[in-house]
Amino acid sequence: MLNFIDPQFFPDQTYTKHYDYYLVMLSVLIAVIGSYSAFGTAERIHSSNNKTHIALWTLFGATTMGVCIWSMHFIGSLALMLPVPITYDLAITILSILPAFEASGAVLWLMAHDTYSTAKLLLCGLLLGAGVGAMHYTGMAAMQMNAHMGYITPIFFISIIVAVVLATIALKIKFQAINHGAYQFLSKPQVLSAVVMGIAISGMHFTAMKAVVYMPIDVAITTNAGLQTSHLTLIVGLTTFLVLIIALLLPLAFRLKEMTVALKQNEESLII
């Protein structure tokens, strides 16, 4: 359960938060690259007429975006340095990807079907922003330490607004790219939408981290044996690397294959 703190009654004793800024930058980079990869699958969904292919590309894109959001969160969390040891509940850590996965799948499917409308854009922005927020706060619940966590109420809600607003802007750029031009692996709308979405994910995370307050406790809390930060770093790092490599190369490989087939057909028609 989330513990909210009224700014007027701020606790007297709190732990000071410090960050490893190399990990902060890495987390933002992962958010941008992951968004770029996931948004690339929207074109594959949009251009496919096969229901099975549509379902598979949607699943693939949702997995990519879900892992991107999840990885950004935990690498961003690993950047946090507190004067107490931190471990992570394994079950909650794994389950925390579900809100991001489900929201991403719904948004990618909506993006690639029917026509653009303001109502559809706002719905997608709300879904994706809420998915990012739900993933973050579920992931925060996985943290185990000898400290109480509380959230400064106004900043908590600002973090959700940041995610929804920036996600909506990113999706607007991507919607327009899908509906008004052919897909290009490197294009201004593709890059811009990914950058804005990456900022939405990381902006929500670090705004939310600004909201959290860690309060020391006198009696040690007994926690379940959890993932050490070194183990979490390895799991998140390997998962992210594998997913992003596949997510970047697979849509491109399909696009190149289609271009090769089209060129071959053109050559054959010229010969005839």
Side-chain angles (χ1 to χ4, degrees):
M1 181 180 292
L2 297 177
N3 177 31
F4 289 103
I5 297 172
D6 188 325
Q8 294 181 341
F9 302 99
F10 199 80
D12 294 328
Q13 291 186 317
T14 62
Y15 286 127
T16 302
K17 293 175 284 187
H18 299 283
Y19 290 92
D20 180 330
Y21 288 103
Y22 290 106
L23 286 178
V24 170
M25 289 187 288
L26 177 61
S27 69
V28 176
L29 182 63
I30 285 173
V32 172
I33 295 174
S35 299
Y36 184 89
S37 304
F39 281 168
T41 63
E43 182 271 342
R44 302 304 312 166
I45 301 167
H46 184 73
S47 63
S48 179
N49 296 317
N50 185 297
K51 290 184 178 180
T52 302
H53 291 174
I54 290 172
L56 289 174
W57 279 115
T58 302
L59 178 62
F60 179 73
T63 301
T64 302
M65 182 64 89
V67 169
C68 153
I69 296 168
W70 181 82
S71 300
M72 184 278 134
H73 167 81
F74 281 106
I75 291 176
S77 295
L78 290 170
L80 173 68
M81 294 179 287
L82 291 173
V84 291
I86 302 171
T87 60
Y88 294 83
D89 182 281
L90 178 60
I92 298 176
T93 297
I94 294 171
L95 289 174
S96 65
I97 197 174
L98 290 179
F101 171 79
E102 292 169 352
S104 300
V107 168
L108 286 171
W109 190 87
L110 287 169
M111 282 177 67
H113 290 77
D114 302 323
T115 56
Y116 169 83
S117 69
T118 301
K120 185 177 177 181
L121 171 65
L122 293 176
L123 174 61
C124 287
L126 181 61
L127 281 173
L128 194 52
V132 172
M135 186 277 122
H136 173 87
Y137 288 109
T138 305
M140 291 296 289
M143 296 180 75
Q144 300 179 142
M145 70 193 84
N146 285 317
H148 285 308
M149 281 194 298
Y151 294 95
I152 302 171
T153 307
I155 305 178
F156 171 88
F157 287 106
I158 289 171
S159 71
I160 303 296
I161 293 169
V162 166
V164 171
V165 171
L166 291 180
T168 303
I169 294 171
L171 291 172
K172 179 177 176 62
I173 298 167
K174 187 59 187 173
F175 265 125
Q176 291 175 336
I178 289 176
N179 285 281
H180 294 100
Y183 171 79
Q184 296 177 3
F185 183 71
L186 280 175
S187 66
K188 184 178 178 180
Q190 183 81 351
V191 173
L192 185 58
S193 62
V195 169
V196 176
M197 190 64 228
I199 293 172
I201 297 167
S202 52
M204 184 276 152
H205 174 88
F206 290 110
T207 304
M209 293 305 290
K210 182 70 176 176
V212 69
V213 176
Y214 297 95
M215 296 163 282
I217 54 177
D218 297 327
V219 180
I221 297 175
T222 302
T223 59
N224 298 324
L227 286 172
Q228 301 295 323
T229 54
S230 58
H231 296 156
L232 184 61
T233 302
L234 182 62
I235 292 170
V236 172
L238 287 176
T239 302
T240 305
F241 177 77
L242 290 173
V243 169
L244 290 186
I245 288 295
I246 295 170
L248 282 169
L249 296 181
L250 191 60
L252 181 60
F254 272 85
R255 170 60 65 180
L256 291 174
K257 181 181 177 181
E258 289 175 353
M259 291 173 63
T260 302
V261 171
L263 286 171
K264 187 176 180 180
Q265 289 174 344
N266 288 337
E267 288 175 358
E268 290 175 351
S269 64
L270 288 173
I271 292 172
I272 294 171

